[in-house]
């Protein structure tokens, strides 16, 4: 028994890195999808640090194939050809400058690490790569790493086509090609060492952790083997002995043999059920209602809270890639999206990631967006357009900047204010009017019914006048939006009409007059 416990401890505890490595009271990161490094550096300094964001997930920084048919899709960045830090987002110097400047204001950088594969099998040969490195997909030659034929899983895959044909077969999922992407032989120590070298380069520059792309397509033990080779974080910004935060992209919506829990030994996993279910509830599909959210979290069959990375949408499922389906809420459904984001950021379950997108010419044909490939706002020569900032603090050049929407930004702050406080004072009307608090620090209430709401509920908060941080916020000692009066017994009256611009109200102790 003792031996078993020791083994379990070794497998489950020693290697795992579950702590997001954000500064205390910074409890959300934002995915600045396809942003340039120089824009991220500025955003850390001018917006993210002052508003309590803990970090940024950046798009893959490793050199990728240049795809011209279609013309420079966003997904070309998921096809590495080398581990040089050289992409449309910027070069190594700009990457270093970003990491340094963001760390210096307490905003940490999380790298999207594409290490399951290189480019697609039909990627051709030549120097059509973001840094001009030569490669030959046909004979598996990537001299800039270097990788060659025996570093790939071609011989190990047992599906007829060499592709993943059946997600019910765990060997295919791990040993065959995902959408034709050349699958690295991570069982080889050489390949593990090259991956670790790449990640250590990033760690030494100062990054705080990694999203492991396509983790489901790697064996958990192979992941552990390269994680085992990683350095501790740079002591210029992190306490000695800090391990990188690891969150693995494992799509587990149920119904397949590979489970998120298979990966707990390595770090956290992306909980895809979260956004899919929350979208279904807020859209009121399949008879779902917000009252059912009372036991949101593990009660809904999600992974344990301290193993979960959660999000309303991600760069894939906001455009029909990956998994989650049509229930996923995105900026295109702004009103419902803000409610879902508000719910997520108020609720204690999981570590939260906010999405920040670019607009694209969405166009549905037969239920599918035929422009799902369109890359970031760019110039004629393919370079990515800068993120410009309008006078009203929103973004220009087709950058959506959901993280700058007042409702979402203020809920990121709410999450920091209520950090560590228990889920409390749940109330619902049996339908789609619900409310809950976080100890005596914050309270949120929603009306997603088709009729007006006028209720007295227990907030758990100290008496006083609070500014609603959804319709406005506290500025110069005044509320720019609605006010809420909490009486001595913690009760407060809330009125939310069904046609309100945003049918929810949130208050917390730092927005009290
Ligand atoms: C592009 C072209 C391809 C071409 C390839 C190579 O589109 O036609 O063959 O280049 O030339 C992204 C894009 C891809 C793109 C790729 C490389 O999305 O379109 O391919 O870059 O440029 C699976 C993986 C998951 C992956 C997701 C997209 O498990 O890891 O597919 N996400 C990551 C990234 C993503 C990136 C890659 C990985 C590759 O976030 O941006 O791809 O680096 C099931 C499985 C899931 C599976 C989905 C989709 O989901 O469970 O594991 O995700 O299928 O194939 C229900 C089920 C649900 C199921 C879903 C869809 O909801 O409950 O389980 O249906 O069937």
């Amino acid at each position: 028994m003792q031996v078993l416990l020791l083994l379990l401890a070794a497998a489950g505890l020693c290697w795992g890195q579950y702590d997001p490595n954000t500064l205390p009271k910074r409890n959300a990161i934002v995915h600045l999808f396809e942003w340039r490094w120089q824009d991220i550096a500025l955003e850390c300094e001018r917006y993210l640090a002052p508003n309590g964001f803990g970090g940024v997930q950046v798009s893959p920084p490793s050199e990728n194939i240049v795809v011209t048919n279609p013309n420079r899709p966003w997904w070309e960045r998921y096809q590495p050809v080398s581990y040089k830090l050289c992409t449309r987002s910027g070069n190594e110097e700009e990457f270093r400058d970003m990491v340094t400047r963001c760390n210096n204001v307490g905003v940490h950088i999380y790298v999207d690490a594409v290490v399951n594969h290189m480019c697609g099998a039909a990627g051709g040969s030549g120097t059509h790569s973001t840094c001009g490195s030569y490669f030959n997909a046909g004979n598996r030659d990537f001299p800039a790493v270097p990788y060659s034929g025996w570093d790939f899983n071609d011989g190990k895959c047992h599906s007829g086509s060499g592709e993943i044909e059946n997600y019910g077969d765990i060997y295919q999922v791990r040993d065959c090609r995902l959408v034709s992407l050349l699958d690295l032989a991570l069982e080889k120590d050489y390949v593990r060492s090259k991956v670790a070298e790449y990640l250590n380069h990033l760690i030494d520059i100062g990054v705080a952790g990694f999203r492991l792309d396509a983790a489901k397509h790697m064996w958990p033990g192979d992941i552990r083997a390269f994680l085992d080779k990683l350095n501790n974080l740079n002591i210029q910004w992190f306490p000695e002995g800090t391990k990188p935060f690891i969150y693995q992209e494992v799509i587990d919506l149920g119904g397949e043999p590979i489970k998120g829990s298979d990966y707990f030994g390595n770090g956290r996993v992306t909980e895809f059920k979260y956004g899919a279910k929350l979208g279904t509830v807020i859209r009121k599909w399949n008879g779902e209602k917000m009252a059912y959210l009372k036991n949101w979290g593990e009660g809904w069959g999600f992974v344990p809270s301290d193993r979960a990375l959660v999000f309303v949408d991600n760069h894939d499922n906001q455009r029909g890639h990956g998994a989650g389906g049509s229930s996923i809420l995105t900026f295109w459904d702004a009103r419902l999206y803000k409610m879902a984001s508000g719910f997520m950021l108020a609720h204690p379950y999981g570590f939260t990631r906010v999405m920040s997108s670019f607009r694209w010419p969405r166009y549905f044909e037969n239920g599918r967006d035929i422009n799902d490939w369109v890359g970031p706002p760019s110039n004629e020569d393919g370079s990515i357009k800068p993120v410009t900032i309008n006078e009203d603090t929103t973004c220009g050049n087709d950058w959506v900047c959901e993280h700058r929407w007042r409702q979402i930004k203020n809920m990121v702050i709410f999450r920091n204010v209520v950090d560590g406080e228990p889920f409390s004072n749940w109330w619902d009307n049996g339908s789609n009017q619900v409310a809950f608090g976080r100890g005596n620090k914050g309270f949120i209430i929603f009306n997603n019914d088709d009729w007006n709401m006028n209720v007295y509920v227990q907030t758990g908060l100290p008496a006083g006048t609070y500014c609603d941080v959804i319709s406005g916020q506290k500025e110069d000692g005044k509320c720019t939006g609605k006010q809420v009066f909490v009486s001595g017994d913690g009760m407060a009256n809330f009125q939310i009409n069904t046609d309100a611009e945003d049918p929810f109200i949130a208050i917390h102790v730092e927005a009290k007059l």
Side-chain angles (χ1 to χ4, degrees), residues 74-76 78-79 114 117 120 167 178-181 211 213-214 216-217 249 251 253 256 315-316 321-324:
W74 61 268
W75 45 252
E76 67 172 36
Y78 290 89
Q79 301 195 36
V114 184
H117 53 263
Y167 272 92
L178 165 65
V179 294
S180 108
L181 300 162
R211 167 192 185 265
D213 178 70
K216 180 179 182 174
H217 304 279
E249 190 224 5
I251 297 177
L253 289 170
E256 287 178 20
H315 71 280
D316 283 328
H321 283 235

Side-chain angles (χ1 to χ4, degrees), residues 213-267:
D213 178 70
K216 180 179 182 174
H217 304 279
M218 300 186 267
W219 292 93
D222 289 344
I223 294 179
R224 190 196 296 166
F226 70 69
L227 292 182
D228 237 5
K229 296 178 188 281
L230 297 189
N231 299 342
N232 291 330
L233 298 189
N234 188 321
I235 56 168
Q236 190 178 342
W237 297 288
F238 302 93
E240 224 172 300
T242 307
K243 289 184 188 302
F245 177 41
I246 300 297
Y247 55 107
Q248 303 160 94
E249 190 224 5
V250 181
I251 297 177
D252 173 9
L253 289 170
E256 287 178 20
I258 297 179
K259 303 283 168 230
S261 55
D262 301 345
Y263 290 81
F264 288 172
N266 300 324

Side-chain angles (χ1 to χ4, degrees), residues 55-71:
V56 181
Q57 179 185 310
V58 302
S59 282
S62 47
E63 178 178 20
N64 61 266
I65 187 170
V66 169
V67 173
T68 48
N69 182 23
N71 186 26

